[in-house]
Amino acid sequence: MRPLSPLGMAALGSGIIGITYGLARFVFGLFLPAMRDELTISPTMAGVIGALPFLSFVFAILAATWVTRHLGIRRTGVTAAGLAGVGLVTIALAPSSLLLAIGVLICGISTGLSSPVMAETVHKVVPFALRGRVNATINAGTSLGIAIAMPAVLIWAEAWRSAYIAFAALAALGTLAALLYLPKEDRVSASGPRPIALQASREQWLGIARLSGLAVGMGGVSAAYWVFAPDAVINAGGLLPSQTAWMWLAVGLGGLLGAGAGDLISRFGPAASHAAGLVVTSASLALLALDPGNFALALVSAALFGAGYMTLSGFYLVRSTQIMTEAPSFAPVLPLLATSIGQVAGSPLAGWLVGAEGHVATFMLFAIVGLAVAGLGAWLLKERGR
């Protein structure tokens, strides 16, 4: 089979990331109100379950470089998409909150495997000058998966199980595409060469550490929106569940701007790019807190959140591969891991605050934290970005 072109790689990678990130991980919050009603889940328990895919992502991404080296690109990509399908089916059939938790755990594993293997594939098949753009475009595939959830909600309304069965069918198609089109590589023996990541310089490690520290803060700030934004506009704002579908469409469409993360870094530098992403994300949280019952404002908030979050996740991916150019599957591991650590901490904290203080106070507090992280990033990244 002919090697993938940069455009083909961008399309295939976007599809797989759209399935593993968009459908298997981030769409959960959209269906959470219906899940809470049917399975009798409290706000605190919802926050804990919402943190589980981020937690399993942590362990999966730590193993992703090793898995990619030993299974090869194609097998790892097939495994990632296949696990997304298994997790989505488990959620669809879950008779209790326990099985629901197991399903979201499996989905998190698929997500943790997918980003490193896509970065490794880009390194193998895309010319150096186009890698940043292709990586950012693939990362923005998350937005496509989120946008797909919009017609699913309109079609099935509160029938979340039917929606998840449809998502699992898409995951099966993604698994087949990975099997057919990802490059095949031989497994690496245990006595193979020393991983390049271990040979990185002190300055490279410091650069990755700075990104990772900021990513913890970004992950914590974003967790409230991913898990509780639909819950906020329904329970605190009085909007209909079907209206949240339009919000998630706005998140997906806004998130497509994240495809420009690589170009943003090239033009404005790391410090300004990172600060802009967090300011936009914080603004989205504050807007939702101002009036969760205002549908037009909720749509603006959702579009801003999608743009801010996808730009930031693309920033961490692209910038990390720029810092460790010879370790493309390892470079994004720590920043993406740090993002999930922040989300693991932020999701149950948001759930506790929603139960104790309500949605409005929770979202405003998280917006303030986001601005603080933006200021910290402007200081940490400014000199090093020149």
Side-chain angles (χ1 to χ4, degrees):
M1 188 170 292
R2 293 172 56 188
L4 281 171
S5 66
L7 180 60
M9 183 62 232
L12 176 60
S14 296
I16 292 175
I17 292 297
I19 291 166
T20 59
Y21 274 81
L23 298 180
R25 181 172 170 185
F26 289 131
V27 163
F28 175 77
L30 182 60
F31 293 92
L32 181 59
M35 293 176 180
R36 284 183 59 190
D37 289 342
E38 182 175 335
L39 301 178
T40 316
I41 301 172
S42 68
T44 301
M45 179 58 70
V48 172
I49 294 175
L52 291 178
F54 304 130
L55 182 63
S56 57
F57 173 91
V58 167
F59 292 100
I61 201 168
L62 284 174
T65 299
W66 181 90
V67 171
T68 302
R69 279 173 53 81
H70 287 264
L71 292 185
I73 287 175
R74 180 180 295 178
R75 295 185 188 94
T76 304
V78 168
T79 299
L83 284 173
V86 172
L88 290 165
V89 168
T90 303
I91 292 172
L93 302 179
S96 65
S97 58
L98 176 60
L99 265 296
L100 182 70
I102 292 173
V104 297
L105 270 171
I106 296 171
C107 286
I109 295 171
S110 77
T111 311
L113 293 178
S114 60
S115 279
V117 73
M118 289 300 104
E120 182 71 31
T121 310
V122 168
H123 183 75
K124 297 288 186 184
V125 305
V126 176
F128 177 81
L130 295 176
R131 288 175 191 166
R133 184 170 295 174
V134 173
N135 270 322
T137 301
I138 290 173
N139 180 73
T142 302
S143 298
L144 297 176
I146 293 169
I148 287 173
M150 180 267 188
V153 172
L154 292 181
I155 293 170
W156 288 293
E158 296 188 12
W160 56 274
R161 296 183 187 276
S162 299
Y164 269 84
I165 288 293
F167 297 159
L170 290 176
L173 292 177
T175 304
L176 179 61
L179 180 64
L180 293 177
Y181 295 108
L182 284 179
K184 185 178 181 180
E185 287 189 321
D186 294 331
R187 303 179 188 183
V188 177
S189 66
S191 59
R194 186 177 181 226
I196 293 174
L198 298 181
Q199 304 172 26
S201 69
R202 179 176 178 273
E203 189 58 36
Q204 286 176 310
W205 281 112
L206 286 175
I208 294 295
R210 292 186 196 103
L211 288 183
S212 301
L214 294 170
V216 171
M218 188 281 277
V221 169
S222 67
Y225 208 101
W226 283 125
V227 179
F228 288 104
D231 199 52
V233 298
I234 292 173
N235 292 316
L239 298 183
L240 299 174
S242 60
Q243 289 177 296
T244 63
W246 294 98
M247 280 183 64
W248 245 232
L249 177 63
V251 169
L253 294 178
L256 294 176
L257 294 176
D263 295 324
L264 197 65
I265 295 171
S266 299
R267 181 163 184 175
F268 299 105
S273 303
H274 185 265
L278 268 165
V279 168
V280 170
T281 302
S282 296
S284 71
L285 289 159
L287 280 178
L288 202 66
L290 286 177
D291 188 0
N294 187 320
F295 182 49
L297 202 61
L299 291 179
V300 174
S301 165
L304 288 175
F305 179 77
Y309 183 88
M310 295 306 166
T311 296
L312 287 167
S313 59
F315 172 88
Y316 296 130
L317 173 63
V318 172
R319 187 60 185 151
S320 63
T321 57
Q322 290 174 344
I323 292 172
M324 285 188 174
T325 55
E326 298 304 317
S329 66
F330 178 80
V333 166
L334 292 181
L336 294 177
L337 171 64
T339 301
S340 275
I341 289 174
Q343 289 166 331
V344 167
S347 182
L349 175 61
W352 176 77
L353 284 171
V354 166
E357 303 294 336
H359 293 86
V360 172
T362 299
F363 275 66
M364 192 59 75
L365 177 61
F366 274 67
I368 293 170
V369 173
L371 292 177
V373 177
L376 178 62
W379 174 65
L380 285 177
L381 299 174
K382 187 174 182 180
E383 290 185 358
R384 288 91 182 178
R386 291 176 182 171

